[in-house]
Amino acid sequence: MPDGNRRFAKKYNVSYFQAYRQGYEKLREALRWVIEEGVRRAVVYVLSYENCTRRSPMEKAVLEDLLISGLRDLRSDSIINGERIRVRLVGDLSLVSEAARREGAALEEHTASYDGGSLHLGVCYSGEWERNIIASGTASPSLAARVPPIDLVIRTGGMKRLSGFFPLQTSYAELYFTETLWPEFTREELKKALEWFELQKRNFGA
């Protein structure tokens, strides 16, 4: 859960665009670290449902541009292709532009045959949104997209809550919270989280 971009902007007196751009570059870097650390499945909260419905028009425009370029970049990413990582999007994609939907569909199609791991991107997603869909009698979007059970949640930015992050998959997840703002996240912080996870005694409700 890459949180803290706006607080990073205020901390360093830079624009939201600059902060989100740095956050985007950090995400690409972090995905590489995760794979190099031997993790083959990852789920990223790219945009929450609230990001897509409640942010200002200016912020939404910035996020939309980064989403389009990010999806396009992933399609040609050497790690995604070299490690054969399948990418899927989960969320209310009606809230993003046609251009973003096209890039998302192209990315999913491009990686559809990959079997080296999985990367699920929550785009305009929230647990409440998914619960409403299930309540209407429709199948769970995250289960249909085969989002795996989540073992470890890493949330940056200091907030100690899940904020609707894939509730069906986080029932027995270990929760790691760090004060580090997302654009400042380091590989050392990732290793610290993974080492902490290895020390946890997991009983899955037993």
Side-chain angles (χ1 to χ4, degrees), residues 44-59:
V44 180
Y45 217 167
V46 175
L47 292 172
S48 71
Y49 187 87
E50 290 73 22
N51 290 152
C52 296
T53 57
R54 299 180 185 174
R55 292 293 170 88
S56 69
M58 178 197 73
E59 281 188 81

Side-chain angles (χ1 to χ4, degrees), residues 179-193:
E179 297 291 329
T180 304
L181 302 176
W182 175 245
E184 299 176 313
F185 192 70
T186 64
R187 185 163 188 167
E188 288 67 32
E189 187 76 53
L190 172 63
K191 288 183 177 180
K192 184 178 176 181

